[in-house]
mmCIF file with all atom_site columns, all heavy atoms in Angstrom:
data_model
loop_
_atom_site.group_PDB
_atom_site.id
_atom_site.type_symbol
_atom_site.label_atom_id
_atom_site.label_alt_id
_atom_site.label_comp_id
_atom_site.label_asym_id
_atom_site.label_entity_id
_atom_site.label_seq_id
_atom_site.pdbx_PDB_ins_code
_atom_site.Cartn_x
_atom_site.Cartn_y
_atom_site.Cartn_z
_atom_site.occupancy
_atom_site.B_iso_or_equiv
_atom_site.pdbx_formal_charge
_atom_site.auth_seq_id
_atom_site.auth_comp_id
_atom_site.auth_asym_id
_atom_site.auth_atom_id
_atom_site.pdbx_PDB_model_num
ATOM 1   N N   . LEU A 1 111 ? -2.217 -0.046  -10.577 1.00 0.00 ? 111 LEU A N   1
ATOM 2   C CA  . LEU A 1 111 ? -1.169 0.742   -11.213 1.00 0.00 ? 111 LEU A CA  1
ATOM 3   C C   . LEU A 1 111 ? -1.647 2.127   -11.654 1.00 0.00 ? 111 LEU A C   1
ATOM 4   O O   . LEU A 1 111 ? -1.107 3.131   -11.218 1.00 0.00 ? 111 LEU A O   1
ATOM 5   C CB  . LEU A 1 111 ? -0.598 -0.029  -12.406 1.00 0.00 ? 111 LEU A CB  1
ATOM 6   C CG  . LEU A 1 111 ? 0.708  0.505   -12.976 1.00 0.00 ? 111 LEU A CG  1
ATOM 7   C CD1 . LEU A 1 111 ? 1.802  0.525   -11.924 1.00 0.00 ? 111 LEU A CD1 1
ATOM 8   C CD2 . LEU A 1 111 ? 1.137  -0.332  -14.179 1.00 0.00 ? 111 LEU A CD2 1
ATOM 9   N N   . SER A 1 137 ? 3.513  -3.256  -2.332  1.00 0.00 ? 137 SER A N   1
ATOM 10  C CA  . SER A 1 137 ? 3.657  -4.103  -3.503  1.00 0.00 ? 137 SER A CA  1
ATOM 11  C C   . SER A 1 137 ? 3.403  -5.548  -3.085  1.00 0.00 ? 137 SER A C   1
ATOM 12  O O   . SER A 1 137 ? 2.449  -5.826  -2.367  1.00 0.00 ? 137 SER A O   1
ATOM 13  C CB  . SER A 1 137 ? 5.050  -3.919  -4.120  1.00 0.00 ? 137 SER A CB  1
ATOM 14  O OG  . SER A 1 137 ? 5.193  -4.696  -5.282  1.00 0.00 ? 137 SER A OG  1
ATOM 15  N N   . SER A 1 138 ? 4.238  -6.461  -3.507  1.00 0.00 ? 138 SER A N   1
ATOM 16  C CA  . SER A 1 138 ? 4.039  -7.882  -3.210  1.00 0.00 ? 138 SER A CA  1
ATOM 17  C C   . SER A 1 138 ? 5.300  -8.648  -3.592  1.00 0.00 ? 138 SER A C   1
ATOM 18  O O   . SER A 1 138 ? 6.067  -8.200  -4.463  1.00 0.00 ? 138 SER A O   1
ATOM 19  C CB  . SER A 1 138 ? 2.847  -8.427  -4.004  1.00 0.00 ? 138 SER A CB  1
ATOM 20  O OG  . SER A 1 138 ? 2.790  -9.847  -3.931  1.00 0.00 ? 138 SER A OG  1
ATOM 21  N N   . LEU A 1 140 ? 5.051  -10.970 -5.366  1.00 0.00 ? 140 LEU A N   1
ATOM 22  C CA  . LEU A 1 140 ? 4.751  -11.302 -6.756  1.00 0.00 ? 140 LEU A CA  1
ATOM 23  C C   . LEU A 1 140 ? 5.129  -10.172 -7.715  1.00 0.00 ? 140 LEU A C   1
ATOM 24  O O   . LEU A 1 140 ? 4.907  -10.279 -8.909  1.00 0.00 ? 140 LEU A O   1
ATOM 25  C CB  . LEU A 1 140 ? 3.276  -11.682 -6.908  1.00 0.00 ? 140 LEU A CB  1
ATOM 26  C CG  . LEU A 1 140 ? 2.845  -12.889 -6.076  1.00 0.00 ? 140 LEU A CG  1
ATOM 27  C CD1 . LEU A 1 140 ? 1.429  -13.323 -6.434  1.00 0.00 ? 140 LEU A CD1 1
ATOM 28  C CD2 . LEU A 1 140 ? 3.817  -14.065 -6.252  1.00 0.00 ? 140 LEU A CD2 1
ATOM 29  N N   . GLY A 1 141 ? 5.735  -9.133  -7.184  1.00 0.00 ? 141 GLY A N   1
ATOM 30  C CA  . GLY A 1 141 ? 6.424  -8.161  -8.013  1.00 0.00 ? 141 GLY A CA  1
ATOM 31  C C   . GLY A 1 141 ? 7.893  -8.496  -8.149  1.00 0.00 ? 141 GLY A C   1
ATOM 32  O O   . GLY A 1 141 ? 8.608  -7.868  -8.938  1.00 0.00 ? 141 GLY A O   1
ATOM 33  N N   . LEU A 1 142 ? 8.343  -9.483  -7.374  1.00 0.00 ? 142 LEU A N   1
ATOM 34  C CA  . LEU A 1 142 ? 9.742  -9.924  -7.405  1.00 0.00 ? 142 LEU A CA  1
ATOM 35  C C   . LEU A 1 142 ? 9.896  -11.288 -8.057  1.00 0.00 ? 142 LEU A C   1
ATOM 36  O O   . LEU A 1 142 ? 10.897 -11.567 -8.723  1.00 0.00 ? 142 LEU A O   1
ATOM 37  C CB  . LEU A 1 142 ? 10.302 -9.987  -5.969  1.00 0.00 ? 142 LEU A CB  1
ATOM 38  C CG  . LEU A 1 142 ? 10.211 -8.702  -5.147  1.00 0.00 ? 142 LEU A CG  1
ATOM 39  C CD1 . LEU A 1 142 ? 10.628 -8.975  -3.706  1.00 0.00 ? 142 LEU A CD1 1
ATOM 40  C CD2 . LEU A 1 142 ? 11.097 -7.617  -5.760  1.00 0.00 ? 142 LEU A CD2 1
ATOM 41  N N   . TYR A 1 151 ? -1.887 -9.692  -11.795 1.00 0.00 ? 151 TYR A N   1
ATOM 42  C CA  . TYR A 1 151 ? -1.396 -9.205  -10.506 1.00 0.00 ? 151 TYR A CA  1
ATOM 43  C C   . TYR A 1 151 ? 0.124  -9.144  -10.494 1.00 0.00 ? 151 TYR A C   1
ATOM 44  O O   . TYR A 1 151 ? 0.717  -8.156  -10.043 1.00 0.00 ? 151 TYR A O   1
ATOM 45  C CB  . TYR A 1 151 ? -1.915 -10.124 -9.394  1.00 0.00 ? 151 TYR A CB  1
ATOM 46  C CG  . TYR A 1 151 ? -1.620 -9.633  -7.996  1.00 0.00 ? 151 TYR A CG  1
ATOM 47  C CD1 . TYR A 1 151 ? -2.384 -8.628  -7.425  1.00 0.00 ? 151 TYR A CD1 1
ATOM 48  C CD2 . TYR A 1 151 ? -0.578 -10.178 -7.246  1.00 0.00 ? 151 TYR A CD2 1
ATOM 49  C CE1 . TYR A 1 151 ? -2.124 -8.176  -6.137  1.00 0.00 ? 151 TYR A CE1 1
ATOM 50  C CE2 . TYR A 1 151 ? -0.309 -9.737  -5.967  1.00 0.00 ? 151 TYR A CE2 1
ATOM 51  C CZ  . TYR A 1 151 ? -1.083 -8.731  -5.407  1.00 0.00 ? 151 TYR A CZ  1
ATOM 52  O OH  . TYR A 1 151 ? -0.815 -8.284  -4.146  1.00 0.00 ? 151 TYR A OH  1
ATOM 53  N N   . ASN A 1 152 ? 0.788  -10.200 -11.006 1.00 0.00 ? 152 ASN A N   1
ATOM 54  C CA  . ASN A 1 152 ? 2.248  -10.199 -11.092 1.00 0.00 ? 152 ASN A CA  1
ATOM 55  C C   . ASN A 1 152 ? 2.746  -8.969  -11.846 1.00 0.00 ? 152 ASN A C   1
ATOM 56  O O   . ASN A 1 152 ? 3.683  -8.281  -11.416 1.00 0.00 ? 152 ASN A O   1
ATOM 57  C CB  . ASN A 1 152 ? 2.742  -11.451 -11.825 1.00 0.00 ? 152 ASN A CB  1
ATOM 58  C CG  . ASN A 1 152 ? 2.440  -12.743 -11.101 1.00 0.00 ? 152 ASN A CG  1
ATOM 59  O OD1 . ASN A 1 152 ? 2.093  -12.755 -9.929  1.00 0.00 ? 152 ASN A OD1 1
ATOM 60  N ND2 . ASN A 1 152 ? 2.569  -13.850 -11.815 1.00 0.00 ? 152 ASN A ND2 1
ATOM 61  N N   . VAL A 1 153 ? 2.125  -8.711  -12.992 1.00 0.00 ? 153 VAL A N   1
ATOM 62  C CA  . VAL A 1 153 ? 2.534  -7.589  -13.836 1.00 0.00 ? 153 VAL A CA  1
ATOM 63  C C   . VAL A 1 153 ? 2.318  -6.259  -13.124 1.00 0.00 ? 153 VAL A C   1
ATOM 64  O O   . VAL A 1 153 ? 3.179  -5.373  -13.145 1.00 0.00 ? 153 VAL A O   1
ATOM 65  C CB  . VAL A 1 153 ? 1.759  -7.619  -15.171 1.00 0.00 ? 153 VAL A CB  1
ATOM 66  C CG1 . VAL A 1 153 ? 1.942  -6.318  -15.940 1.00 0.00 ? 153 VAL A CG1 1
ATOM 67  C CG2 . VAL A 1 153 ? 2.215  -8.801  -16.017 1.00 0.00 ? 153 VAL A CG2 1
ATOM 68  N N   . SER A 1 154 ? 1.177  -6.110  -12.459 1.00 0.00 ? 154 SER A N   1
ATOM 69  C CA  . SER A 1 154 ? 0.871  -4.837  -11.794 1.00 0.00 ? 154 SER A CA  1
ATOM 70  C C   . SER A 1 154 ? 1.871  -4.533  -10.684 1.00 0.00 ? 154 SER A C   1
ATOM 71  O O   . SER A 1 154 ? 2.300  -3.389  -10.522 1.00 0.00 ? 154 SER A O   1
ATOM 72  C CB  . SER A 1 154 ? -0.558 -4.850  -11.248 1.00 0.00 ? 154 SER A CB  1
ATOM 73  O OG  . SER A 1 154 ? -0.691 -5.706  -10.126 1.00 0.00 ? 154 SER A OG  1
ATOM 74  N N   . LYS A 1 155 ? 2.257  -5.547  -9.944  1.00 0.00 ? 155 LYS A N   1
ATOM 75  C CA  . LYS A 1 155 ? 3.187  -5.319  -8.833  1.00 0.00 ? 155 LYS A CA  1
ATOM 76  C C   . LYS A 1 155 ? 4.626  -5.171  -9.312  1.00 0.00 ? 155 LYS A C   1
ATOM 77  O O   . LYS A 1 155 ? 5.412  -4.415  -8.724  1.00 0.00 ? 155 LYS A O   1
ATOM 78  C CB  . LYS A 1 155 ? 3.072  -6.451  -7.806  1.00 0.00 ? 155 LYS A CB  1
ATOM 79  C CG  . LYS A 1 155 ? 1.711  -6.494  -7.108  1.00 0.00 ? 155 LYS A CG  1
ATOM 80  C CD  . LYS A 1 155 ? 1.368  -5.184  -6.407  1.00 0.00 ? 155 LYS A CD  1
ATOM 81  C CE  . LYS A 1 155 ? 0.076  -5.282  -5.600  1.00 0.00 ? 155 LYS A CE  1
ATOM 82  N NZ  . LYS A 1 155 ? -0.242 -4.025  -4.901  1.00 0.00 ? 155 LYS A NZ  1
ATOM 83  N N   . GLY A 1 156 ? 4.988  -5.882  -10.391 1.00 0.00 ? 156 GLY A N   1
ATOM 84  C CA  . GLY A 1 156 ? 6.310  -5.669  -10.967 1.00 0.00 ? 156 GLY A CA  1
ATOM 85  C C   . GLY A 1 156 ? 6.463  -4.257  -11.497 1.00 0.00 ? 156 GLY A C   1
ATOM 86  O O   . GLY A 1 156 ? 7.496  -3.601  -11.308 1.00 0.00 ? 156 GLY A O   1
ATOM 87  N N   . ALA A 1 157 ? 5.416  -3.766  -12.152 1.00 0.00 ? 157 ALA A N   1
ATOM 88  C CA  . ALA A 1 157 ? 5.439  -2.395  -12.658 1.00 0.00 ? 157 ALA A CA  1
ATOM 89  C C   . ALA A 1 157 ? 5.464  -1.381  -11.518 1.00 0.00 ? 157 ALA A C   1
ATOM 90  O O   . ALA A 1 157 ? 6.149  -0.352  -11.600 1.00 0.00 ? 157 ALA A O   1
ATOM 91  C CB  . ALA A 1 157 ? 4.232  -2.155  -13.560 1.00 0.00 ? 157 ALA A CB  1
ATOM 92  N N   . LEU A 1 158 ? 4.728  -1.663  -10.452 1.00 0.00 ? 158 LEU A N   1
ATOM 93  C CA  . LEU A 1 158 ? 4.744  -0.780  -9.290  1.00 0.00 ? 158 LEU A CA  1
ATOM 94  C C   . LEU A 1 158 ? 6.150  -0.665  -8.717  1.00 0.00 ? 158 LEU A C   1
ATOM 95  O O   . LEU A 1 158 ? 6.599  0.429   -8.343  1.00 0.00 ? 158 LEU A O   1
ATOM 96  C CB  . LEU A 1 158 ? 3.774  -1.300  -8.226  1.00 0.00 ? 158 LEU A CB  1
ATOM 97  C CG  . LEU A 1 158 ? 3.849  -0.650  -6.836  1.00 0.00 ? 158 LEU A CG  1
ATOM 98  C CD1 . LEU A 1 158 ? 3.702  0.855   -6.918  1.00 0.00 ? 158 LEU A CD1 1
ATOM 99  C CD2 . LEU A 1 158 ? 2.811  -1.253  -5.911  1.00 0.00 ? 158 LEU A CD2 1
ATOM 100 N N   . ASN A 1 159 ? 6.863  -1.777  -8.642  1.00 0.00 ? 159 ASN A N   1
ATOM 101 C CA  . ASN A 1 159 ? 8.234  -1.729  -8.118  1.00 0.00 ? 159 ASN A CA  1
ATOM 102 C C   . ASN A 1 159 ? 9.116  -0.814  -8.959  1.00 0.00 ? 159 ASN A C   1
ATOM 103 O O   . ASN A 1 159 ? 9.925  -0.041  -8.427  1.00 0.00 ? 159 ASN A O   1
ATOM 104 C CB  . ASN A 1 159 ? 8.824  -3.136  -8.066  1.00 0.00 ? 159 ASN A CB  1
ATOM 105 C CG  . ASN A 1 159 ? 8.203  -3.983  -6.977  1.00 0.00 ? 159 ASN A CG  1
ATOM 106 O OD1 . ASN A 1 159 ? 7.518  -3.467  -6.090  1.00 0.00 ? 159 ASN A OD1 1
ATOM 107 N ND2 . ASN A 1 159 ? 8.420  -5.284  -7.032  1.00 0.00 ? 159 ASN A ND2 1
ATOM 108 N N   . GLN A 1 160 ? 8.963  -0.908  -10.278 1.00 0.00 ? 160 GLN A N   1
ATOM 109 C CA  . GLN A 1 160 ? 9.757  -0.038  -11.148 1.00 0.00 ? 160 GLN A CA  1
ATOM 110 C C   . GLN A 1 160 ? 9.320  1.421   -11.033 1.00 0.00 ? 160 GLN A C   1
ATOM 111 O O   . GLN A 1 160 ? 10.151 2.335   -11.098 1.00 0.00 ? 160 GLN A O   1
ATOM 112 C CB  . GLN A 1 160 ? 9.641  -0.508  -12.595 1.00 0.00 ? 160 GLN A CB  1
ATOM 113 C CG  . GLN A 1 160 ? 10.576 -1.663  -12.937 1.00 0.00 ? 160 GLN A CG  1
ATOM 114 C CD  . GLN A 1 160 ? 12.034 -1.269  -12.798 1.00 0.00 ? 160 GLN A CD  1
ATOM 115 O OE1 . GLN A 1 160 ? 12.606 -1.300  -11.706 1.00 0.00 ? 160 GLN A OE1 1
ATOM 116 N NE2 . GLN A 1 160 ? 12.653 -0.891  -13.902 1.00 0.00 ? 160 GLN A NE2 1
ATOM 117 N N   . LEU A 1 161 ? 8.026  1.657   -10.858 1.00 0.00 ? 161 LEU A N   1
ATOM 118 C CA  . LEU A 1 161 ? 7.550  3.022   -10.652 1.00 0.00 ? 161 LEU A CA  1
ATOM 119 C C   . LEU A 1 161 ? 8.151  3.605   -9.379  1.00 0.00 ? 161 LEU A C   1
ATOM 120 O O   . LEU A 1 161 ? 8.596  4.762   -9.360  1.00 0.00 ? 161 LEU A O   1
ATOM 121 C CB  . LEU A 1 161 ? 6.015  3.040   -10.573 1.00 0.00 ? 161 LEU A CB  1
ATOM 122 C CG  . LEU A 1 161 ? 5.374  4.396   -10.264 1.00 0.00 ? 161 LEU A CG  1
ATOM 123 C CD1 . LEU A 1 161 ? 5.739  5.426   -11.327 1.00 0.00 ? 161 LEU A CD1 1
ATOM 124 C CD2 . LEU A 1 161 ? 3.861  4.263   -10.140 1.00 0.00 ? 161 LEU A CD2 1
ATOM 125 N N   . ARG A 1 163 ? 10.960 2.842   -7.925  1.00 0.00 ? 163 ARG A N   1
ATOM 126 C CA  . ARG A 1 163 ? 12.378 3.151   -8.123  1.00 0.00 ? 163 ARG A CA  1
ATOM 127 C C   . ARG A 1 163 ? 12.565 4.351   -9.052  1.00 0.00 ? 163 ARG A C   1
ATOM 128 O O   . ARG A 1 163 ? 13.500 5.150   -8.866  1.00 0.00 ? 163 ARG A O   1
ATOM 129 C CB  . ARG A 1 163 ? 13.108 1.912   -8.656  1.00 0.00 ? 163 ARG A CB  1
ATOM 130 C CG  . ARG A 1 163 ? 13.199 0.822   -7.593  1.00 0.00 ? 163 ARG A CG  1
ATOM 131 C CD  . ARG A 1 163 ? 14.155 -0.293  -7.945  1.00 0.00 ? 163 ARG A CD  1
ATOM 132 N NE  . ARG A 1 163 ? 13.590 -1.193  -8.948  1.00 0.00 ? 163 ARG A NE  1
ATOM 133 C CZ  . ARG A 1 163 ? 14.033 -2.438  -9.144  1.00 0.00 ? 163 ARG A CZ  1
ATOM 134 N NH1 . ARG A 1 163 ? 15.038 -2.908  -8.415  1.00 0.00 ? 163 ARG A NH1 1
ATOM 135 N NH2 . ARG A 1 163 ? 13.481 -3.212  -10.060 1.00 0.00 ? 163 ARG A NH2 1
#
Side-chain angles (χ1 to χ4, degrees):
L111 194 59
S137 182
S138 169
L140 300 188
L142 304 172
Y151 187 78
N152 296 346
V153 168
S154 71
K155 295 303 186 179
L158 169 55
N159 289 346
Q160 278 297 84
L161 176 60
R163 291 193 284 200

